[in-house]
Amino acid sequence: MERVKQNDTFDIMKAIMALMITVIHIVALNKLGILGIFMFPILRTAVPLFFMISSYLFFSRINLIKSYEEQKNYLHKAIKRNLQLYLLWFIILSPITFYIRDYFKNGLLNGISILIWNFIAGSTFIASWYIMALVIGLITVFYLTKKFNNKSVIILSILIYIFCVLTSNYGNLPVMQMTHGLLSYWTPYNSFTAGIIWIVAGKIFAENENIFYFGATKQKIIIVIMIVLLYLEQILIVYLNSSYATDFYFMLVPLCLALFALLLKTNLKNSRAK
């Protein structure tokens, strides 16, 4: 995706966040006891920040394009680039993917239908849901905000996010037991639904970089307070034994918004960042 300008801060943060996501995927945190349980919340900030960086760069560029047709052309280029990335890694990882997922154990047509569903609303190769979530999310937010105002789209994204959180860290609550059948073939917190709120946030930041920013000192205090509240939520989740999956927390929203606002005001320079 074409950059509005070179941003070493984003590149450095993406390297750090990639390591954070790697830890989630390769380390058996659940087997580390209380230490593992309390590593999850802070690690889960990485994916939202990735979404917001991609969305911010996309809509920053879109905002410089006056023609609606040219904006759509740029959207199509972004979609094409991400789908090419998806296809490349699908091919590279296909031997492992088909061995692990065993798509065709119940027949060719059943396997193809599952593969198509996973491509659109889940993941084929491991963690591929993010690329499709970004593609579908950018399309959704782009066209919704052409038809409706930001406020309406924000409200919709919050409702979708609440559903993702409830099926994730609160999925084992008695009131959520009815969703377990749904979660056996679709996990909203690892699908395009998971990215909508962060892509909307990236668009808002692209339109107003000062939103959610209250000055360097206050911003850092706010971030610390949000981290404390995030861990208090984790304590509540552990106490309730409500976690079905560890992907989403309510307190990720204010924390990640505050973090991203600070990132936009941070000007790191490194010749090797890109």
Side-chain angles (χ1 to χ4, degrees):
M1 195 174 296
E2 184 180 344
R3 292 171 181 269
V4 176
K5 58 182 178 180
Q6 179 64 31
N7 191 315
D8 291 348
T9 302
F10 282 171
D11 289 331
I12 292 168
M13 283 305 302
K14 284 191 283 187
I16 295 170
M17 293 185 303
L19 292 174
M20 293 166 66
I21 293 170
T22 302
V23 170
I24 292 173
H25 283 284
I26 69 171
V27 178
L29 295 177
N30 284 326
K31 296 182 180 180
L32 296 179
I34 197 71
L35 176 62
I37 289 172
F38 283 91
M39 285 177 68
F40 276 119
I42 202 66
L43 293 175
R44 290 301 183 187
T45 60
V47 168
L49 290 173
F50 262 118
F51 272 121
M52 282 193 281
I53 288 173
S54 295
S55 176
Y56 170 82
L57 292 173
F58 173 81
F59 284 105
S60 292
R61 175 61 179 164
I62 285 290
N63 291 341
L64 299 177
I65 303 173
K66 301 301 181 183
S67 165
Y68 178 58
E69 289 303 317
E70 288 183 16
Q71 288 182 343
K72 287 198 298 182
N73 289 337
Y74 185 72
L75 173 64
H76 295 159
K77 289 179 182 178
I79 294 167
K80 181 180 178 181
R81 181 182 181 278
N82 279 284
L83 289 180
Q84 287 173 336
L85 179 66
Y86 193 109
L87 179 61
L88 171 66
W89 281 104
F90 180 82
I91 293 171
I92 291 172
L93 295 173
S94 58
I96 298 171
T97 300
F98 284 104
Y99 175 75
I100 293 174
R101 300 292 170 90
D102 199 10
Y103 282 114
F104 304 108
K105 63 181 179 181
N106 294 319
L108 180 62
L109 290 178
N110 183 70
I112 292 173
S113 64
I114 294 173
L115 189 60
I116 293 172
W117 173 252
N118 286 351
F119 172 72
I120 296 171
S123 62
T124 50
F125 59 90
I126 291 175
S128 61
W129 72 269
Y130 173 85
I131 303 175
M132 282 309 299
L134 181 61
V135 168
I136 295 173
L138 287 175
I139 295 171
T140 302
V141 174
F142 177 83
Y143 284 107
L144 278 180
T145 51
K146 294 297 181 183
K147 298 292 184 181
F148 306 98
N149 58 37
N150 279 350
K151 183 178 179 181
S152 299
V153 179
I154 290 168
I155 292 171
L156 175 63
S157 72
I158 291 171
L159 293 175
I160 294 171
Y161 185 79
I162 290 171
F163 178 65
C164 290
V165 177
L166 291 177
T167 55
S168 175
N169 260 312
Y170 298 89
N172 278 335
L173 288 176
V175 70
M176 296 301 298
Q177 294 293 321
M178 67 185 75
T179 66
H180 285 191
L182 171 70
L183 298 179
S184 64
Y185 65 91
W186 180 50
T187 51
Y189 45 85
N190 282 157
S191 184
F192 61 88
T193 43
I196 298 296
I197 193 168
W198 309 119
I199 292 171
V200 172
K203 179 181 185 296
I204 293 169
F205 276 113
E207 294 171 352
N208 181 5
E209 291 191 359
N210 294 318
I211 197 167
F212 302 117
Y213 185 74
F214 304 96
T217 302
K218 287 183 180 179
Q219 197 72 14
K220 292 171 185 176
I221 293 171
I222 290 170
I223 289 170
V224 170
I225 293 171
M226 292 302 107
I227 291 173
V228 170
L229 291 175
L230 175 65
Y231 275 93
L232 288 175
E233 182 180 6
Q234 176 72 335
I235 291 170
L236 175 64
I237 289 166
V238 172
Y239 174 75
L240 295 174
N241 192 28
S242 65
S243 182
Y244 184 88
T246 62
D247 296 73
F248 276 86
Y249 298 80
F250 287 115
M251 290 310 303
L252 275 182
V253 173
L255 173 57
C256 290
L257 292 178
L259 283 170
F260 193 78
L262 183 61
L263 280 182
L264 289 178
K265 300 298 181 180
T266 304
N267 188 24
L268 300 177
K269 291 293 182 183
N270 188 306
S271 60
R272 298 183 180 183
K274 186 175 182 179

